[in-house]
Amino acid sequence: MINSRSTVAALVFLPLLFFTAFFLVPLTVVATASFTNGDGVPTLANYARILLDTYHWSVIATTFRLGIVTTLICILIGYPLAWYLVRIVKFRSWRRLCVILLILPLFTSNIVRSFGWMVLLGRNGLVNETLQMAGLTERPLRLLGTETGILIGLVYILLPFVVLTIGNALAKIDHSLEQASADLGASPAATFWRVTFPLTAPGIAAGAIIVFALAVSAYVTPALLSGGRVTVLAVLVFQQYSSVFDFHYGGALAVTLLVFTMAIIGISSLVSRLGAR
Amino acid sequence: MALLSIEGVSKSFGSHQALKDVSLNVEAGEFVSLLGPSGCGKTTLLRLIAGFLTADRGTIRIDGEDITNVPAHRRPLNTVFQNYALFPHMSVQDNVAYGPRRSGAGRVEAAERASEALSLVGLGQMGDRYPRQLSGGQQQRVALARAIVNRPKLLLLDEPLSALDLQLRRRMQVELKQLQEKLGVAFVFVTHDQEEAMAMSDRISVLSEGRIQQVGNGAEIYRRPANRFVAEFIGEANLLSIDSAHGFEIVFAPADQSTNRLGVVRPEHVRILREGDTAALSENDVRITAEVAAVASIGGTTDIHCTSLGYEIVARRLGLSDGGFKPGDKVTLVIAGDDIHIIESERS
């Protein structure tokens, strides 16, 4: 008994220690800093500075607009892609190659990939040249330094996560469920919307949460692709911590980002749960 | 006109030919089993009828209408799946109402029909539950209710009882048969369990290696198997090569000299007498001298294994008594001539 009890204690303690050391302690440090001023006196001034200022609200709006649109586009592109990989590809080696191509960018640095998009999206970049050659635009589009440019970069970087989660959900669906649906008279479209899609919803939700959380907290891609013209919360946080060294104001910005992110995820999961009823 | 008519259907998967020129008719209200060992093509045939697979060759008709290339969702039949395939994200009620809803019934009407179908299978109170909250037997009933709610003329069942334990399976066999007769639905029932097929079916279609070996009622295929496969697969059989047969004067050839005629004798048709005991013999009886090799009591019957002419011949006695026979005893095996079923031109 003693032996097994101490084993259990160790099994619980070790992850708890890890969690405390690498997550709770830094979070507490940041949160404490956000509620004090430079002299260590408790204050709400840092939050007042953020929440009573329209500039900050516009940054918050930009951040979450980018996050939500990135998530939606990722799902819209990722679902068909996952469908192709799981349902259409017949040859295992080709599927494996596709998955490798999908995951490979994750092994390279965000910075390298974002720089790549800077080159592609520039005035004389590949995207603009292609559009002009195809006769779709006369003058080069301004993509770099706009929300559209950041969006393209974020979608590119975060797409693999939704493809993997949705693909996993699709692969787990028992094929006989879709056959049963057809057997009961459902057209292929009805089978998709009433059986397949609801059963992949948890995969979509998992992918969406990952993408959204990474998109709103992304620093490198917005920083590089915005050209300084578009500001998101993560960029403000980085400036406070690395250039201004105002950990109190920076901490409040970080906590604001965290609270808004959790609130949006919470609300959306509540809405989807009510909608499922 | 047959309700379901299958003509010359073949199906291959790559180089493996799963079905070879299969033809079968099922009449309205008939219970037909597709019986065979795993890999014989019975499930493939069922999937072809359901429309989950398309035949390479041949025609499938329902009520005279060619449905060979009609997609599954437009076929006038329903299926009970082996793993039940209940929709996990829907309540029992919604699972059963799914069929009526898809065929255009309103929400209220679909709900009424679902409740009706559920009470028909004895699950009237379970509508609000989810499939994962039910036992295997209850899930089985939900699958059945879902499949009959649209009142199909033809129901396909893919080993529906194989996941249930023996007692429940026996009870479900009876209930299923009663339900089938009550609704007047034709059943095509896939099973590898010959007792199940015998107990329930009007006719049994025995499949092996992608071909229908024999179609008939249980007594026919047991008493008059069409070939060696059916004789060995259905029940137990002593298979003896026949040297010559004139009426009931049948002479068996030794085991090492196979002939093109095979005699099938069921163990319960072999009487065993002590050597020299000539009482109660009739002129139609075929006699074989043999030696007892082993005696085995199995529940209500006792099998006496004898050797003769290089064969092992099993004689089955009712009851636990071995009749005093011991290994090494010299005996006479007696088989009534009309209990020997002869399969012609069968190479062993």
Side-chain angles (χ1 to χ4, degrees):
Chain A
M1 268 312 276
I2 294 163
N3 187 24
S4 73
R5 203 177 275 180
S6 61
T7 313
V8 168
L11 283 174
V12 174
F13 181 71
L14 286 173
L16 207 64
L17 186 74
F18 182 87
F19 188 70
T20 311
F22 291 97
F23 184 75
L24 275 184
V25 169
L27 189 68
T28 315
V29 168
V30 170
T32 315
S34 77
F35 284 107
T36 53
N37 64 16
D39 302 325
V41 179
T43 173
L44 289 173
N46 298 314
Y47 288 98
R49 192 174 159 192
I50 298 165
L51 298 174
L52 299 177
D53 178 21
T54 49
Y55 169 71
H56 284 102
W57 279 105
S58 80
V59 172
I60 291 171
T62 308
T63 306
F64 287 96
R65 189 166 55 239
L66 274 171
I68 290 168
V69 177
T70 302
T71 308
L72 291 177
I73 294 178
C74 276
I75 292 169
L76 285 178
I77 301 176
Y79 205 105
L81 216 57
W83 186 277
Y84 172 77
L85 282 179
V86 175
R87 290 293 174 88
I88 296 178
V89 173
K90 289 276 181 288
F91 300 102
R92 199 180 288 173
S93 47
W94 173 238
R95 178 181 302 142
R96 215 168 273 170
L97 190 71
C98 286
V99 172
I100 290 171
L101 284 175
L102 190 72
I103 299 175
L104 207 58
L106 296 178
F107 288 104
T108 58
S109 154
N110 239 339
I111 299 173
V112 175
R113 284 183 287 159
S114 296
F115 264 114
W117 276 106
M118 282 177 76
V119 175
L120 290 173
L121 295 175
R123 278 186 74 81
N124 301 313
L126 191 65
V127 173
N128 268 320
E129 276 188 4
T130 311
L131 287 174
Q132 280 173 290
M133 278 211 299
L136 292 170
T137 55
E138 285 187 12
R139 274 174 295 167
L141 295 175
R142 217 192 65 166
L143 296 168
L144 216 55
T146 64
E147 276 188 47
T148 314
I150 300 175
L151 204 59
I152 293 173
L154 284 175
V155 167
Y156 162 74
I157 285 167
L158 299 175
L159 191 61
F161 294 104
V162 267
V163 176
L164 292 178
T165 54
I166 295 173
N168 187 38
L170 270 175
K172 275 198 295 191
I173 293 179
D174 182 355
H175 206 54
S176 66
L177 292 176
E178 286 159 320
Q179 290 179 338
S181 172
D183 188 71
L184 294 164
S187 65
T191 294
F192 176 77
W193 287 113
R194 297 186 181 278
V195 177
T196 316
F197 187 77
L199 290 175
T200 49
I204 298 172
I209 288 174
I210 296 174
V211 167
F212 181 73
L214 290 176
V216 294
S217 62
Y219 167 73
V220 171
T221 310
L224 291 180
L225 294 178
S226 71
R229 288 196 197 86
V230 182
T231 310
V232 295
L233 271 174
V235 171
L236 284 188
V237 174
F238 183 75
Q239 283 168 357
Q240 292 308 315
Y241 271 87
S242 67
S243 333
V244 186
F245 297 112
D246 186 345
F247 294 168
H248 308 283
Y249 171 48
L253 283 167
V255 171
T256 307
L257 176 61
L258 182 66
V259 169
F260 271 85
T261 307
M262 282 168 53
I264 289 185
I265 291 175
I267 289 167
S268 64
S269 68
L270 194 71
V271 167
S272 67
R273 209 174 298 163
L274 289 175
R277 270 187 200 159
Chain B
M1 184 176 58
L3 172 68
L4 169 69
S5 140
I6 300 166
E7 278 166 36
V9 162
S10 298
K11 176 72 188 175
S12 297
F13 300 105
S15 61
H16 170 68
Q17 210 178 348
L19 286 176
K20 299 163 192 162
D21 193 26
V22 166
S23 297
L24 180 70
N25 282 344
V26 176
E27 303 296 331
E30 196 181 17
F31 195 129
V32 175
S33 286
L34 304 180
L35 175 65
S38 54
C40 70
K42 57 191 191 297
T43 298
T44 304
L45 183 55
L46 198 82
R47 300 177 142 263
L48 283 170
I49 303 170
F52 306 139
L53 295 172
T54 350
D56 298 337
R57 252 177 299 129
T59 328
I60 300 173
R61 289 192 183 83
I62 289 183
D63 271 338
E65 193 187 331
D66 186 344
I67 59 152
T68 316
N69 295 308
V70 171
H73 67 277
R74 295 215 186 90
R75 295 194 182 195
L77 51 84
N78 286 112
T79 306
V80 177
F81 290 80
Q82 183 169 18
N83 61 357
Y84 316 139
L86 299 176
F87 305 127
H89 58 300
M90 294 182 201
S91 68
V92 164
Q93 170 81 23
D94 289 346
N95 260 283
V96 182
Y98 192 87
R101 288 289 283 157
R102 298 289 85 72
S103 55
R107 199 176 287 274
V108 179
E109 192 199 335
E112 274 169 17
R113 283 168 61 187
S115 306
E116 194 188 327
L118 279 171
S119 43
L120 206 59
V121 297
L123 284 181
Q125 310 304 316
M126 299 283 185
D128 294 335
R129 304 258 188 112
Y130 278 81
R132 62 177 176 276
Q133 298 169 311
L134 303 181
S135 70
Q138 288 169 332
Q139 291 185 18
Q140 219 283 312
R141 285 161 197 263
V142 177
L144 195 60
R146 190 177 67 173
I148 58 169
V149 69
N150 274 353
R151 292 298 164 100
K153 285 185 194 168
L154 176 62
L155 197 63
L156 310 177
L157 302 98
D158 186 7
E159 307 214 20
L161 309 179
S162 61
L164 306 179
D165 62 59
L166 188 64
Q167 297 232 326
L168 192 55
R169 191 155 76 220
R170 290 269 157 75
R171 211 170 72 212
M172 284 304 293
Q173 284 173 8
V174 177
E175 283 188 27
L176 212 53
K177 180 70 184 161
Q178 285 170 344
L179 191 70
Q180 186 255 338
E181 281 166 1
K182 186 169 163 190
L183 298 174
V185 188
F187 273 26
V188 175
F189 187 95
V190 164
T191 180
H192 63 265
D193 181 342
Q194 49 169 298
E195 283 178 30
E196 194 166 279
M198 293 263 186
M200 300 170 80
S201 321
D202 297 319
R203 283 191 303 150
I204 298 170
S205 168
V206 184
L207 279 94
S208 169
E209 292 175 350
R211 286 184 199 281
I212 292 186
Q213 305 291 329
Q214 188 173 6
V215 184
N217 65 36
E220 274 167 17
I221 60 168
Y222 185 76
R223 298 211 61 143
R224 289 189 293 281
N227 55 38
R228 187 187 189 100
F229 172 81
V230 179
E232 285 183 320
F233 185 70
I234 306 292
E236 284 155 70
N238 297 302
L239 300 178
L240 310 163
S241 288
I242 290 173
D243 192 31
S244 67
H246 304 286
F248 290 132
E249 278 180 40
I250 294 168
V251 180
F252 293 113
D256 50 6
Q257 295 171 25
S258 67
T259 62
N260 60 357
R261 275 186 297 181
L262 198 63
V264 181
V265 182
R266 299 296 177 184
E268 64 271 24
H269 293 149
V270 180
R271 277 191 295 153
I272 182 162
L273 300 174
R274 297 204 174 276
E275 198 175 31
D277 182 356
T278 52
L281 282 182
S282 88
E283 58 186 71
N284 289 345
D285 287 342
V286 177
R287 266 161 284 174
I288 309 163
T289 48
E291 188 180 315
V292 176
V295 179
S297 284
I298 34 167
T301 57
T302 301
D303 282 358
I304 299 168
H305 299 255
C306 308
T307 49
S308 177
L309 299 166
Y311 299 103
E312 188 185 272
I313 303 172
V314 180
R316 181 163 296 165
R317 294 166 58 95
L318 270 178
L320 282 169
S321 156
D322 58 11
F325 294 102
K326 300 235 167 1
D329 286 359
K330 298 273 186 260
V331 293
T332 305
L333 300 177
V334 182
I335 306 159
D338 49 5
D339 283 335
I340 302 172
H341 172 69
I342 298 173
I343 298 170
E344 296 286 343
S345 63
E346 181 81 14
R347 273 172 287 120
S348 55

Coordinates of all heavy atoms in Angstrom, one line a residue, chain A residues 174-199 276-277, chain B residues 47 50 52 72-75 77-81 83 85-90 95 98-99 102-103 146-147 149-150:
Chain A
D174 N -16.6 5.6 -38.4 CA -16.9 4.3 -38.9 C -17.7 4.4 -40.2 O -18.7 5.0 -40.3 CB -17.7 3.5 -37.8 CG -18.1 2.1 -38.2 OD1 -17.7 1.7 -39.4 OD2 -18.6 1.4 -37.4
H175 N -17.1 3.8 -41.2 CA -17.7 3.9 -42.6 C -19.1 3.4 -42.6 O -20.0 3.9 -43.4 CB -16.8 3.2 -43.6 CG -17.0 3.7 -45.0 ND1 -16.8 5.1 -45.2 CD2 -17.3 3.2 -46.2 CE1 -17.0 5.3 -46.5 NE2 -17.3 4.2 -47.1
S176 N -19.4 2.4 -41.8 CA -20.8 1.8 -41.8 C -21.8 2.9 -41.3 O -23.0 2.7 -41.7 CB -20.9 0.6 -40.9 OG -20.7 0.9 -39.6
L177 N -21.4 3.9 -40.6 CA -22.4 4.9 -40.2 C -22.9 5.7 -41.4 O -24.1 6.0 -41.6 CB -21.8 5.9 -39.2 CG -21.4 5.4 -37.9 CD1 -20.7 6.4 -37.1 CD2 -22.7 4.9 -37.2
E178 N -22.0 6.0 -42.4 CA -22.4 6.7 -43.6 C -23.2 5.7 -44.5 O -24.2 6.2 -45.2 CB -21.2 7.2 -44.3 CG -20.6 8.4 -43.6 CD -19.2 8.7 -43.9 OE1 -18.4 7.8 -44.0 OE2 -18.8 9.9 -44.0
Q179 N -22.9 4.5 -44.5 CA -23.6 3.5 -45.2 C -25.0 3.4 -44.7 O -26.0 3.3 -45.4 CB -22.9 2.1 -45.2 CG -21.7 2.2 -46.1 CD -21.0 0.8 -46.1 OE1 -21.2 0.0 -45.2 NE2 -20.1 0.6 -47.0
A180 N -25.1 3.4 -43.3 CA -26.4 3.3 -42.7 C -27.3 4.5 -43.1 O -28.5 4.3 -43.3 CB -26.3 3.2 -41.2
S181 N -26.7 5.6 -43.1 CA -27.4 6.8 -43.5 C -27.9 6.7 -44.9 O -29.1 7.0 -45.2 CB -26.5 8.0 -43.4 OG -27.1 9.2 -43.9
A182 N -27.1 6.3 -45.8 CA -27.5 6.1 -47.2 C -28.6 5.0 -47.3 O -29.6 5.2 -48.0 CB -26.4 5.7 -48.1
D183 N -28.4 4.0 -46.5 CA -29.4 2.9 -46.5 C -30.8 3.4 -46.0 O -31.8 2.9 -46.5 CB -28.9 1.8 -45.5 CG -29.8 0.6 -45.6 OD1 -29.7 -0.1 -46.6 OD2 -30.5 0.3 -44.6
L184 N -30.8 4.4 -45.2 CA -32.1 4.9 -44.7 C -32.6 6.0 -45.6 O -33.6 6.7 -45.2 CB -31.9 5.4 -43.2 CG -31.6 4.3 -42.2 CD1 -31.0 4.9 -40.9 CD2 -32.8 3.5 -41.9
G185 N -32.0 6.2 -46.7 CA -32.6 7.1 -47.7 C -32.0 8.4 -47.8 O -32.5 9.3 -48.5
A186 N -30.9 8.7 -47.1 CA -30.3 10.0 -47.1 C -29.4 10.2 -48.3 O -28.6 9.3 -48.7 CB -29.5 10.2 -45.8
S187 N -29.6 11.3 -49.0 CA -28.7 11.6 -50.2 C -27.3 11.8 -49.7 O -27.1 12.1 -48.5 CB -29.2 12.9 -50.8 OG -29.1 14.0 -50.0
P188 N -26.3 11.8 -50.5 CA -24.9 12.0 -50.1 C -24.8 13.3 -49.3 O -24.1 13.4 -48.3 CB -24.1 12.0 -51.4 CG -24.9 11.1 -52.3 CD -26.3 11.3 -52.0
A189 N -25.4 14.4 -49.8 CA -25.3 15.7 -49.1 C -25.9 15.6 -47.7 O -25.4 16.1 -46.7 CB -26.0 16.8 -49.9
A190 N -27.1 15.0 -47.6 CA -27.8 14.8 -46.3 C -26.9 14.0 -45.4 O -26.7 14.3 -44.2 CB -29.1 14.2 -46.4
T191 N -26.3 12.9 -45.9 CA -25.4 12.1 -45.1 C -24.2 12.9 -44.6 O -23.8 12.8 -43.4 CB -24.8 10.9 -45.9 OG1 -25.9 10.1 -46.2 CG2 -23.8 10.1 -45.1
F192 N -23.7 13.8 -45.4 CA -22.5 14.6 -45.0 C -23.0 15.5 -43.9 O -22.3 15.6 -42.8 CB -21.9 15.4 -46.1 CG -20.9 16.4 -45.7 CD1 -19.6 15.9 -45.4 CD2 -21.1 17.7 -45.5 CE1 -18.6 16.7 -44.9 CE2 -20.1 18.5 -45.0 CZ -18.9 18.0 -44.7
W193 N -24.1 16.3 -44.1 CA -24.4 17.3 -43.1 C -25.0 16.7 -41.8 O -24.9 17.3 -40.7 CB -25.4 18.3 -43.7 CG -24.7 19.2 -44.6 CD1 -24.9 19.3 -46.0 CD2 -23.6 20.2 -44.3 NE1 -24.0 20.2 -46.5 CE2 -23.3 20.8 -45.5 CE3 -23.0 20.6 -43.2 CZ2 -22.3 21.7 -45.6 CZ3 -22.0 21.5 -43.2 CH2 -21.7 22.1 -44.5
R194 N -25.6 15.5 -41.9 CA -26.3 15.0 -40.7 C -25.4 13.9 -40.0 O -25.7 13.7 -38.8 CB -27.6 14.4 -41.1 CG -28.5 15.5 -41.6 CD -29.9 15.0 -41.8 NE -30.7 16.1 -42.3 CZ -31.3 17.0 -41.6 NH1 -31.2 16.9 -40.2 NH2 -31.9 18.0 -42.1
V195 N -24.5 13.3 -40.6 CA -23.7 12.3 -40.0 C -22.2 12.6 -40.0 O -21.6 12.8 -38.9 CB -23.9 10.9 -40.7 CG1 -23.0 9.9 -40.1 CG2 -25.4 10.5 -40.6
T196 N -21.6 12.8 -41.2 CA -20.2 13.0 -41.2 C -19.8 14.3 -40.5 O -18.9 14.3 -39.6 CB -19.7 13.1 -42.7 OG1 -20.4 12.0 -43.4 CG2 -18.2 12.9 -42.8
F197 N -20.4 15.4 -40.9 CA -20.0 16.7 -40.3 C -20.2 16.7 -38.8 O -19.2 17.1 -38.1 CB -20.7 17.8 -41.0 CG -20.3 19.2 -40.6 CD1 -19.1 19.7 -41.1 CD2 -21.0 20.0 -39.7 CE1 -18.6 20.9 -40.8 CE2 -20.5 21.2 -39.3 CZ -19.3 21.7 -39.9
P198 N -21.3 16.4 -38.3 CA -21.4 16.4 -36.8 C -20.4 15.6 -36.1 O -19.9 15.9 -35.0 CB -22.8 15.9 -36.5 CG -23.6 16.0 -37.8 CD -22.6 16.0 -38.9
L199 N -20.0 14.4 -36.7 CA -19.0 13.5 -36.1 C -17.6 14.1 -36.2 O -16.7 13.7 -35.4 CB -19.1 12.1 -36.7 CG -20.4 11.4 -36.4 CD1 -20.4 10.0 -37.1 CD2 -20.5 11.1 -34.9
A276 N -25.9 22.5 -30.5 CA -25.9 21.1 -30.8 C -27.2 20.5 -30.2 O -27.6 19.4 -30.5 CB -24.7 20.4 -30.2
R277 N -27.8 21.2 -29.2 CA -29.0 20.6 -28.6 C -30.2 20.6 -29.5 O -30.3 21.4 -30.4 CB -29.4 21.4 -27.4 CG -28.7 20.8 -26.2 CD -29.1 21.4 -24.9 NE -28.0 21.2 -23.9 CZ -27.9 21.9 -22.8 NH1 -28.7 22.9 -22.5 NH2 -27.0 21.6 -21.9
Chain B
R47 N -23.8 -6.7 -49.5 CA -23.5 -5.3 -49.8 C -23.8 -5.0 -51.3 O -24.2 -3.8 -51.5 CB -22.0 -5.1 -49.6 CG -21.6 -5.4 -48.2 CD -20.1 -5.3 -47.9 NE -20.0 -4.7 -46.6 CZ -19.8 -3.5 -46.4 NH1 -19.6 -2.6 -47.4 NH2 -19.8 -3.0 -45.2
A50 N -27.5 -4.3 -51.1 CA -27.7 -3.0 -50.4 C -27.3 -1.8 -51.2 O -27.8 -0.7 -51.1 CB -27.0 -3.0 -49.0
F52 N -23.9 -0.9 -51.5 CA -22.6 -0.4 -51.0 C -21.5 -0.8 -51.9 O -20.4 -0.3 -51.8 CB -22.4 -0.8 -49.6 CG -23.5 -0.5 -48.6 CD1 -23.9 -1.4 -47.6 CD2 -24.2 0.7 -48.7 CE1 -24.9 -1.1 -46.8 CE2 -25.2 1.0 -47.8 CZ -25.6 0.1 -46.9
A72 N -27.3 3.4 -53.2 CA -27.9 2.8 -52.0 C -29.1 3.6 -51.5 O -30.0 3.0 -51.1 CB -26.8 2.7 -50.9
H73 N -29.0 4.9 -51.5 CA -30.0 5.7 -50.8 C -31.3 5.7 -51.6 O -32.3 6.2 -51.1 CB -29.5 7.1 -50.5 CG -29.3 8.0 -51.7 ND1 -28.1 7.9 -52.4 CD2 -30.1 8.9 -52.3 CE1 -28.2 8.8 -53.4 NE2 -29.3 9.4 -53.4
R74 N -31.3 5.2 -52.9 CA -32.6 5.1 -53.6 C -33.1 3.7 -53.7 O -34.0 3.4 -54.5 CB -32.4 5.7 -55.0 CG -32.0 7.1 -55.0 CD -32.6 7.8 -56.2 NE -32.1 9.2 -56.3 CZ -31.0 9.6 -56.9 NH1 -30.4 8.7 -57.6 NH2 -30.6 10.8 -56.9
R75 N -32.5 2.7 -53.0 CA -33.0 1.4 -53.0 C -34.1 1.1 -52.0 O -33.9 1.5 -50.8 CB -31.8 0.4 -52.8 CG -30.8 0.5 -53.9 CD -29.9 -0.7 -53.9 NE -28.9 -0.5 -55.0 CZ -28.1 -1.4 -55.5 NH1 -28.1 -2.6 -55.0 NH2 -27.2 -1.1 -56.5
L77 N -35.0 -0.8 -49.7 CA -34.7 -1.9 -48.8 C -34.0 -1.3 -47.6 O -33.5 -0.2 -47.7 CB -33.9 -3.0 -49.4 CG -32.6 -2.6 -50.2 CD1 -31.4 -2.4 -49.2 CD2 -32.3 -3.6 -51.2
N78 N -33.8 -2.0 -46.5 CA -33.0 -1.5 -45.4 C -32.1 -2.6 -44.8 O -32.3 -3.8 -45.1 CB -34.0 -1.0 -44.3 CG -34.6 0.3 -44.7 OD1 -35.8 0.5 -44.9 ND2 -33.8 1.4 -44.8
T79 N -31.1 -2.2 -44.1 CA -30.1 -3.0 -43.6 C -29.9 -3.0 -42.1 O -30.0 -1.9 -41.5 CB -28.8 -2.7 -44.3 OG1 -29.0 -2.7 -45.7 CG2 -27.7 -3.7 -44.0
V80 N -29.7 -4.1 -41.5 CA -29.2 -4.1 -40.1 C -27.7 -4.5 -40.1 O -27.4 -5.6 -40.6 CB -30.0 -5.2 -39.2 CG1 -29.4 -5.2 -37.8 CG2 -31.5 -4.8 -39.2
F81 N -26.9 -3.6 -39.6 CA -25.5 -3.8 -39.8 C -24.9 -4.7 -38.6 O -25.5 -4.7 -37.5 CB -24.7 -2.5 -39.7 CG -25.0 -1.7 -41.0 CD1 -26.2 -0.9 -41.1 CD2 -24.1 -1.6 -42.0 CE1 -26.4 -0.2 -42.3 CE2 -24.3 -0.9 -43.2 CZ -25.5 -0.2 -43.3
N83 N -22.3 -4.3 -36.8 CA -21.9 -3.6 -35.6 C -23.0 -2.6 -35.2 O -22.7 -1.6 -34.5 CB -20.6 -2.9 -35.8 CG -20.6 -1.9 -36.9 OD1 -21.6 -1.8 -37.6 ND2 -19.5 -1.2 -37.2
A85 N -24.1 0.1 -36.3 CA -23.9 1.4 -37.0 C -25.0 2.4 -36.5 O -25.5 3.1 -37.3 CB -24.0 1.2 -38.5
L86 N -25.2 2.5 -35.2 CA -26.1 3.5 -34.7 C -25.4 4.8 -34.7 O -24.2 4.9 -34.4 CB -26.6 3.1 -33.3 CG -27.4 1.8 -33.2 CD1 -27.7 1.5 -31.7 CD2 -28.6 1.9 -34.0
F87 N -26.1 5.9 -35.0 CA -25.5 7.2 -35.0 C -25.2 7.6 -33.6 O -26.1 7.9 -32.8 CB -26.4 8.2 -35.7 CG -26.8 7.8 -37.1 CD1 -28.1 7.8 -37.5 CD2 -25.8 7.5 -38.0 CE1 -28.5 7.4 -38.7 CE2 -26.2 7.1 -39.3 CZ -27.5 7.0 -39.7
P88 N -23.9 7.8 -33.2 CA -23.6 8.0 -31.8 C -24.0 9.4 -31.3 O -24.2 9.6 -30.1 CB -22.1 7.9 -31.7 CG -21.6 8.1 -33.1 CD -22.7 7.7 -34.0
H89 N -24.2 10.3 -32.3 CA -24.5 11.7 -31.8 C -26.0 12.0 -31.8 O -26.4 13.1 -31.7 CB -23.8 12.7 -32.8 CG -24.2 12.5 -34.2 ND1 -24.0 11.4 -34.9 CD2 -24.8 13.4 -35.1 CE1 -24.4 11.5 -36.2 NE2 -24.9 12.7 -36.3
M90 N -26.8 10.9 -32.0 CA -28.3 11.1 -32.0 C -28.9 10.2 -30.9 O -28.3 9.1 -30.6 CB -28.9 10.7 -33.3 CG -28.5 11.6 -34.5 SD -29.3 11.0 -35.9 CE -28.3 11.7 -37.2
N95 N -32.3 8.4 -33.9 CA -31.8 7.3 -34.8 C -32.9 6.6 -35.6 O -32.8 6.4 -36.8 CB -31.1 6.3 -33.9 CG -29.6 6.4 -33.9 OD1 -28.9 6.1 -34.9 ND2 -29.1 7.0 -32.8
Y98 N -34.7 8.8 -38.2 CA -33.9 9.3 -39.3 C -34.4 8.8 -40.6 O -34.5 9.6 -41.6 CB -32.4 8.7 -39.1 CG -31.4 9.3 -40.0 CD1 -30.7 10.5 -39.6 CD2 -31.0 8.7 -41.2 CE1 -29.7 11.0 -40.4 CE2 -30.1 9.3 -42.0 CZ -29.4 10.4 -41.6 OH -28.4 11.0 -42.4
G99 N -34.8 7.6 -40.7 CA -35.3 7.0 -42.0 C -36.6 7.8 -42.5 O -36.6 8.3 -43.6
R102 N -35.8 11.3 -43.7 CA -35.2 11.4 -45.0 C -36.1 11.0 -46.1 O -36.0 11.5 -47.2 CB -34.0 10.4 -45.0 CG -32.9 10.7 -44.1 CD -32.1 12.0 -44.4 NE -32.7 13.2 -43.8 CZ -32.8 13.5 -42.5 NH1 -32.3 12.7 -41.6 NH2 -33.4 14.6 -42.1
S103 N -37.2 10.2 -45.8 CA -38.1 9.9 -46.9 C -39.3 10.9 -46.9 O -40.4 10.6 -47.4 CB -38.6 8.5 -46.8 OG -39.1 8.2 -45.5
R146 N -34.8 0.8 -36.3 CA -34.4 1.8 -37.3 C -34.6 1.2 -38.7 O -34.9 1.9 -39.7 CB -32.9 2.2 -37.1 CG -32.5 3.4 -37.9 CD -31.1 3.8 -37.6 NE -30.2 2.9 -38.0 CZ -28.8 3.1 -38.0 NH1 -28.4 4.2 -37.5 NH2 -28.0 2.1 -38.4
A147 N -34.3 -0.1 -38.9 CA -34.3 -0.7 -40.2 C -35.8 -1.0 -40.6 O -36.0 -1.1 -41.8 CB -33.5 -1.9 -40.2
V149 N -38.5 0.7 -39.6 CA -39.4 1.9 -39.4 C -40.0 2.3 -40.7 O -41.2 2.8 -40.8 CB -38.7 3.0 -38.6 CG1 -37.7 3.6 -39.5 CG2 -39.7 4.0 -38.2
N150 N -39.3 2.2 -41.8 CA -39.8 2.6 -43.1 C -40.6 1.5 -43.8 O -41.0 1.7 -45.0 CB -38.6 3.0 -44.0 CG -38.3 4.5 -43.8 OD1 -39.0 5.2 -43.1 ND2 -37.2 4.9 -44.5

